[in-house]
Amino acid sequence: MKAIVIHAAKDLRIEDHPVTDPGPGEVQIALAAGGICGSDLHYYNHGGFGTVRLREPMVLGHEVSGHITKLGDGVTGLSIGQLVAVSPSRPCRTCAYCQKDQHNHCLNMRFYGSAMPFPHIQGAFREVLNADATQCAPADGLTAGEAAMAEPLAVCLHATNNAGPLLGKSVLVTGCGPIGILSILCARRAGADLIVATDLSDFTLDMARAAGADRVINVAKTPDALAPFTAGKGTFDTLYECSGSEAALSAAIPAMQPRGVIVQLGLGGDMRLPVQAMSVKELQLRGSFRFHAEFFTGVSLMQKGLIDVKPLITHTIPVDQATAAFELVLSRTGTSKVQIEFPQAW
Ligand SMILES: [Zn+2]
Ligand SMILES: [Zn+2]
């Protein structure tokens, strides 16, 4: 079977890997779709991010779906041919954080396609994937592409949980890549009233409007466009910061209401913060990292038609052209979520 393996920056190879049978409690999956995520892109472009460096070849990918081809011993509730979204979150379920229900902070996390630990945790961009049945969310009724969106959707649902109640709230979303757009969908679903989105690209802002943002602002064209929102100590109760840009975060602070909540989702390296302005407004800065149970919630919300991710999938590219797919994401032109399509031979 083919696997998409990163060896070093800009050294992406499609390799032949052996297929093994699923073990007890596992299922074998013929991969159908795999979304390219910001972290995959960092490995491709830079060979890592921050202090995390590739030290051995690693299969990329953690946003995947596919059809079940084999059931290991003891697996119930799943069936051959069924489409499943596969959660890349594989906590140990025994460490102190797992016991506190903080699975995303597991000390022994084996999240697909991560070079944080060594040996690296191999990823899921492979034609045949053996996964624990407990990782699989039945995705009947969805397309393979939608099912593969469950992972970034779960990231945004987790951020929404961290943001606290949103019913009737005013929300600002800075940065309208896939995570920003999914944040708009999640905030709306959670009851947000006013949603304003900013970005530097008209293409992604059109997508934000289609996703339900009430107003979109191109801050490249109108840098002080948030000024009207700063009156009376500010407008927004909640900020989803999805750009990782210091400038975006700093510009949003005067538009935040006192006691507002900032959820930092964009990871663009270290930032300087206007701590004095944040402190006198009693703003709350909250992190957000991965997800766990939200993965299954996301699949369920998509199945019920309560969140529609289809418009985000702008490109579907065959596995043989994986390098072209990564270059396309890097180009940042007319793309939102780019997915790799795996041949369905089962
Ligand atoms: Zn991802
Ligand atoms: Zn654990």
Side-chain angles (χ1 to χ4, degrees), residues 91-95 98 106-108:
C92 74
R93 299 179 190 272
T94 56
C95 76
C98 283
C106 173
L107 295 170
N108 311 301

Side-chain angles (χ1 to χ4, degrees), residues 20 45 111 134 189 194-195 231 243 288 319 322 326:
T20 56
N45 203 23
F111 201 95
T134 54
R189 178 49 51 204
L194 174 70
I195 302 178
S243 73
S288 195
V319 61
F326 276 78

Side-chain angles (χ1 to χ4, degrees), residues 36-345:
I36 298 176
C37 180
S39 63
D40 298 316
L41 201 64
H42 274 289
Y43 290 122
Y44 174 74
N45 203 23
H46 307 292
F49 48 88
T51 56
V52 178
R53 293 284 120 194
L54 279 172
R55 291 152 68 194
E56 61 176 343
M58 182 177 80
V59 179
L60 286 176
H62 59 265
E63 303 181 0
V64 297
S65 69
H67 295 92
I68 294 180
T69 50
K70 282 185 186 173
L71 302 175
D73 284 346
V75 173
T76 55
L78 296 169
S79 53
I80 305 276
Q82 191 170 30
L83 177 68
V84 290
V86 187
S87 176
S89 175
R90 297 188 296 166
C92 74
R93 299 179 190 272
T94 56
C95 76
Y97 295 101
C98 283
Q99 301 223 5
K100 282 198 284 191
D101 249 357
Q102 297 177 11
H103 294 94
N104 58 325
H105 295 295
C106 173
L107 295 170
N108 311 301
M109 175 61 85
R110 290 160 55 242
F111 201 95
Y112 282 143
S114 171
M116 277 183 212
F118 187 85
H120 301 338
I121 311 300
Q122 299 294 317
F125 284 172
R126 52 179 91 206
E127 283 180 311
V128 180
L129 176 69
N130 292 336
D132 282 348
T134 54
Q135 289 171 253
C136 297
D140 309 79
L142 298 180
T143 65
E146 287 175 284
M149 290 296 288
E151 196 272 348
L153 175 57
V155 167
C156 297
L157 290 169
H158 183 73
T160 301
N161 275 333
N162 285 2
L166 287 179
L167 185 64
K169 297 287 173 69
S170 296
V171 171
L172 176 62
V173 177
T174 50
C176 293
I179 292 295
I181 303 296
L182 291 168
S183 293
I184 292 168
L185 294 170
C186 291
R188 183 62 86 208
R189 178 49 51 204
D193 182 3
L194 174 70
I195 302 178
V196 176
T198 68
D199 199 283
L200 304 169
S201 144
D202 285 334
F203 177 82
T204 55
L205 287 170
D206 285 345
M207 199 162 269
R209 193 183 286 109
D214 300 292
R215 277 195 61 183
V216 300
I217 298 169
N218 187 325
V219 285
K221 294 177 180 167
T222 44
D224 59 352
L226 284 178
F229 298 100
T230 63
K233 282 203 172 186
T235 301
F236 301 107
D237 303 288
T238 308
L239 167 63
Y240 288 75
E241 205 303 292
C242 303
S243 73
S245 148
E246 188 177 307
L249 177 55
S250 295
I253 302 296
M256 295 296 292
Q257 280 196 37
R259 305 192 75 96
V261 172
I262 298 167
V263 183
Q264 185 64 41
L265 271 164
L267 294 176
D270 290 341
M271 296 180 180
R272 283 176 310 160
L273 300 178
V275 168
Q276 179 153 324
M278 292 168 70
S279 186
V280 298
K281 269 194 177 176
E282 301 188 323
L283 298 182
Q284 302 174 52
L285 179 63
R286 298 182 186 175
S288 195
F289 182 60
R290 294 178 178 164
F291 54 84
H292 187 66
E294 292 93 343
F295 187 89
F296 290 82
T297 307
V299 173
S300 175
L301 290 173
M302 287 192 285
Q303 284 178 312
K304 290 173 180 156
L306 296 174
I307 285 190
D308 180 12
V309 300
K310 278 199 290 304
L312 276 87
I313 306 168
T314 52
H315 297 78
T316 304
I317 294 176
V319 61
D320 302 305
Q321 295 161 39
T323 301
F326 276 78
E327 286 294 334
L328 176 66
V329 183
L330 266 185
S331 74
R332 293 178 193 276
T333 46
T335 65
S336 184
K337 180 57 73 180
V338 176
Q339 290 184 336
I340 292 172
E341 184 176 37
F342 291 79
Q344 290 286 281

